[in-house]
Amino acid sequence: MGSRKTRVLIAKPGLDGHDRGAKVVARGLRDAGMEVIYTGLRQTPEEIVRAAMQEDVDMIGLSILSGAHMSVCKKILEMMDQHQFHVPIFVGGIIPTDDGQQLMKMGIAAVFGPGTPISDIVGKVEEIVGQRVSE
Amino acid sequence: MESDKSDRLVSSQKSAQLDGLLERLRKGDQIALAKAISFFENDPELIFYLQGELQEILAQSKSHIVGVTGSPGAGKSTLTDAYVSILRREGKRVGIIAVDPSSPFTGGALLGDRIRMKRHFSDDGVFIRSMGSRGNVGGLNDSVFGVIMLYKLYGFDYIIIETVGAGQSEVDIAYVADTVVLVLSPSSGDEIQLMKAGIMEIADVFVVNKADMDGAELLKMNLETVLNFSEIQKPIVMSVATSGRGIDELYQQIEKHKTHLYETGEICQRASRRMKKHAETILDNRIQSILQCVDSNDVNVMVNAVLDEICKSRFGGL
Ligand code: B12
Ligand SMILES: Nc1nc2c(ncn2[C@@H]2O[C@H](COP(=O)(O)OP(=O)(O)O)[C@@H](O)[C@H]2O)c(=O)[nH]1
Ligand SMILES: [Mg+2]
C-alpha cells in the first residue's frame, strides 16, 4: 500500500501469433514486482496506445516475430505523437541487427532478440523507467 | 490552519499537479484521468483532497456502480465486455475497474482482464483501468473508492468493477457497488460454492454463465433451491458471454434493480455503506502502518500507542 509500482503494457501487434516470448517476458516482469498488463494477440497500434494511456503505464513492450517490426513501430510512434502521450517502447522478437539499430534511431528505447535472459530485460526496464521517474 | 492542513496532505507542487489533472479530466481528458488514478492508487488518502465544489458534484453524481464477482474463469471479464456493448448501444459512457491478484511475495501482478475486453479499446466512451489487489484481501484494491470518485467526476454513467474472483472471502464488493452481479458457471465447481454462506447473500442479480455447457441447467436448479430457502426473490439470468446470449436480459435486470434502489430510497443506504467501508479501509491502513512502528512486548502499550497516534493525526476535511 502507498508505494509506487512500475506498470508495463505487453502487447502483440498485428497478426503475429507467436505469443510465448510475450508471456515469458510478462511473467518475468511480474516476478520482478511489476504490474504487467497483457492485452493478448492482434492489437492495432491505435488500441495499444490507447490501452497504454488509460493504464498510465511507465513503458510499452512489443513482441514481434512476424517481420513487421519496422512498420508497426513507426505507426505506434506516430500514434503516440497524435495522442501526445509518450513512454519508452521496448521491442523483442525476431529483429535483424540492422533493423534493431534503425529502430533505436527512430526512438525505440531497447531491442531484444531470442535467448535474452529475463534478468537482462528486467535490469534494462528498471534502468530506463528509473531514469524517467527521477526526471 | 488552512495551509497547515493542506501541507499535511500534499506538497504544494503535487497539489498544483493534482489541481491541473482534476480540471482536465472533468473536461474529458483521458490522459489526465489516467494520471490522476495513478496518484490515488499510490496514495489512497489523496481523496481528502477532493473538497468543496468537487464534493458537491460527487454528492449529486448518479453514476451507477455495478460490481461483477464470481470464481476465476467463470466469465466475469467476457460478460463485462458483452454488457458494455449493450450500455454503449444505449449511449451510456462506461468506466471499468478490473482487479486481479497481486503476488503477496513480490507485489507484482499479471493483469489480463483486458484480453477479453478488446472490442472497446478504441471506443472513447469506454475507459478501462486494470489494477493489482496490492495487499487488499477483500477482492478489491484500497484505492477503488478514489477511482470511483474520479470516474464520477469524469462523468461516466456506469462504473463496472470486476473483482479478483477469489471465492467466498470476497464480499467487500457488496459494500462498494450499487448492484452486485454474481457470475457462476458449470465448469468451476460453483455448485459447492453455492451452498456456502457469504457470497450468496451479497448478490442482487445471479448469472449462470456458460449456458452452452453441460451442467448449466442443473446449476440453475440448484441455485433456485438455495434461493428458495432464503425466500428473497432474486433474478437468475442464463447467459453465454462469448456469444452475447442472455446479456440483454442481464441489462434489463440490472436496470430493474437500479429502479428499485431509487424507488425505495435504498440507493442512499448503499452510498452510505460505501462511505463507511471507505472510512474503515483508510482507518485500517492507518492502524496497520502505526502498529508497524510500535515496538513493545505489551499489548496494552501497543493499543494505547496506536490510539494516541491516531488522535494526533487528523486528516484533511476535518
Ligand atoms: C515456437 C514457434 C512457432 C509456434 C508458436 C507458438 C506460440 N504460441 O508462440 C508455431 C508453431 C505456432 C509457429 C508458427 C509460425 N511460425 Co514460428 N516459430 C517458432 C520458433 C521456433 C520459436 C519461437 C519461440 O516461441 N521462442 C521462445 C520465446 C521465449 O522466445 P522469443 O519469442 O524470441 O522471446 C525472447 C526474446 O525475443 C525477447 N522478447 C520477445 N518478445 C519480447 C517483448 C519484450 C517487451 C521484450 C522486452 C523482450 C521480448 O525475450 C524473450 C526471452 O529471451 C521460432 C524460431 C526461433 N528460434 O525464434 C519460429 C519463427 C518465429 N516462426 C516463423 C514463422 C515463419 C512461422 C509461421 C509463419 C510458419 C508458417 N509458415 O506457418 C507461423 C506463423 C504463426 C502465426 N500465426 O503468427 C519464423 C519467423 C520468420 C521471420 N520473422 O522472418 C521463425 C523465426 C522461424 C524461422 N527461422 O523461419 N511458430
Ligand atoms: N463456453 C463458454 N466459454 C465462456 C463463456 N464465457 C466466458 N468463457 C470463457 O471462459 C474463459 C474465462 O473467461 P474470463 O472472462 O476471463 O473469466 P474471469 O476470470 O471470470 O474474468 C475464457 O476462455 C472465455 O472465453 C461462455 O458463456 N461459454
Ligand atoms: Mg477476469
Side-chain angles (χ1 to χ4, degrees):
Chain A
M1 184 217 72
S3 63
R4 208 190 164 283
K5 284 245 170 327
T6 298
R7 287 167 65 85
V8 177
L9 180 84
I10 299 289
K12 289 278 320 165
L15 298 174
D16 180 10
H18 297 92
D19 61 358
R20 279 194 210 161
K23 286 178 176 165
V24 167
V25 171
R27 269 185 235 117
L29 297 178
R30 175 200 61 188
D31 293 342
M34 301 179 198
E35 287 184 347
V36 183
I37 295 117
Y38 181 54
T39 51
L41 296 170
R42 287 184 205 56
Q43 300 291 287
T44 66
E46 162 95 25
E47 288 166 346
I48 292 169
V49 173
R50 272 173 176 274
M53 251 167 59
Q54 296 185 350
E55 301 287 357
D56 190 28
V57 292
D58 300 294
M59 66 156 262
I60 298 175
L62 304 173
S63 183
I64 314 172
L65 286 80
S66 62
H69 43 272
M70 294 311 285
S71 65
V72 164
C73 290
K74 193 163 162 275
K75 280 200 201 106
I76 290 187
L77 288 166
E78 278 168 15
M79 204 53 79
M80 282 186 145
D81 286 340
Q82 200 177 312
H83 286 279
Q84 295 189 330
F85 172 83
H86 295 96
V87 290
I89 301 177
F90 282 44
V91 179
I94 306 294
I95 318 284
T97 321
D98 288 353
D99 287 1
Q101 274 161 0
Q102 192 65 34
L103 287 174
M104 304 273 285
K105 272 192 207 128
M106 280 161 59
I108 300 298
V111 179
F112 301 90
T116 314
I118 293 299
S119 56
D120 287 8
I121 296 172
V122 170
K124 193 75 185 167
V125 172
E126 281 169 349
E127 181 196 319
I128 301 246
V129 171
Q131 273 170 12
R132 239 186 119 238
V133 170
S134 62
E135 260 166 25
Chain B
M1 182 64 197
E2 198 60 39
S3 67
D4 180 38
K5 197 165 67 188
S6 47
D7 270 0
R8 217 180 296 130
L9 280 174
V10 281
S11 70
S12 60
Q13 189 199 359
K14 206 167 174 187
S15 131
Q17 253 177 313
L18 255 179
D19 278 339
L21 290 177
L22 291 169
E23 201 184 307
R24 276 165 57 202
L25 79 83
R26 285 177 57 202
K27 289 188 190 130
D29 182 338
Q30 292 201 350
I31 295 182
L33 175 60
K35 293 240 178 286
I37 292 175
S38 298
F39 265 99
F40 279 49
E41 200 179 14
N42 294 324
D43 183 0
E45 284 189 15
L46 279 181
I47 52 103
F48 288 117
Y49 195 78
L50 305 176
Q51 289 177 17
E53 183 203 5
L54 297 181
Q55 277 301 338
E56 275 160 42
I57 299 171
L58 287 173
Q60 268 154 33
S61 162
K62 292 255 185 308
S63 312
H64 195 66
I65 306 175
V66 179
V68 181
T69 189
S71 311
K76 297 180 293 299
S77 301
T78 316
L79 195 82
T80 300
D81 177 73
Y83 173 51
V84 169
S85 294
I86 295 190
L87 290 174
R88 292 300 295 146
R89 191 191 66 200
E90 300 296 314
K92 307 296 183 194
R93 297 197 302 163
V94 189
I96 300 170
I97 304 171
V99 191
D100 270 328
S102 297
S103 157
F105 305 108
T106 64
L110 198 50
L111 311 175
D113 292 323
R114 266 185 178 267
I115 298 174
R116 317 267 171 234
M117 303 182 188
K118 283 179 199 161
R119 257 192 290 182
H120 308 291
F121 280 11
S122 41
D123 178 353
D124 259 330
V126 181
F127 186 98
I128 308 172
R129 184 62 173 238
S130 312
M131 294 186 146
S133 55
R134 297 197 183 180
N136 178 302
V137 289
L140 297 172
N141 167 307
D142 291 344
S143 63
V144 77
F145 301 96
V147 181
I148 289 173
M149 290 174 165
L150 293 172
Y151 276 5
K152 285 186 167 183
L153 291 175
Y154 184 88
F156 289 117
D157 302 298
Y158 284 77
I159 297 173
I160 306 178
I161 306 171
E162 180 186 337
T163 74
V164 167
Q168 310 93 300
S169 65
E170 203 184 80
V171 292
D172 277 6
I173 189 66
Y175 300 97
V176 178
D178 295 320
T179 301
V180 176
V181 176
L182 176 62
V183 186
L184 304 164
S185 84
S187 61
S188 42
D190 280 330
E191 279 154 276
I192 306 131
Q193 297 276 94
L194 272 183
M195 309 304 163
K196 295 182 183 162
I199 194 88
M200 295 295 290
E201 282 82 344
I202 69 164
D204 299 303
V205 177
F206 289 88
V207 174
V208 173
N209 189 38
K210 307 198 185 182
D212 54 330
M213 286 174 60
D214 285 346
E217 277 303 324
L218 186 64
L219 179 58
K220 185 182 180 218
M221 274 162 53
N222 286 341
L223 182 57
E224 280 166 345
T225 314
V226 176
L227 289 181
N228 278 339
F229 285 135
S230 65
E231 287 174 13
I232 310 163
Q233 293 294 312
K234 284 180 179 174
I236 303 175
V237 177
M238 300 292 279
S239 76
V240 182
T242 39
S243 75
R245 200 177 101 204
I247 307 301
D248 253 310
E249 199 199 335
L250 172 64
Y251 167 74
Q252 299 298 344
Q253 291 296 352
I254 293 173
E255 289 307 296
K256 227 166 122 183
H257 184 252
K258 182 179 168 187
T259 309
H260 165 82
L261 289 178
Y262 278 93
E263 276 172 7
T264 57
E266 209 188 314
I267 192 77
C268 298
Q269 287 158 31
R270 300 251 168 170
S272 79
R273 201 161 72 172
R274 174 160 58 245
M275 264 177 239
K276 281 207 178 112
K277 190 71 188 174
H278 189 177
E280 183 193 315
T281 306
I282 290 170
L283 287 170
D284 268 355
N285 284 330
R286 269 281 152 147
I287 292 173
Q288 288 293 342
S289 62
I290 297 172
L291 205 48
Q292 263 167 23
C293 306
V294 178
D295 203 13
S296 166
N297 46 15
D298 185 337
V299 175
N300 240 317
V301 173
M302 283 186 176
V303 171
N304 280 313
V306 171
L307 286 175
D308 279 352
E309 201 53 43
I310 291 253
C311 292
K312 261 193 272 168
S313 61
R314 286 220 155 160
F315 306 130
L318 285 176

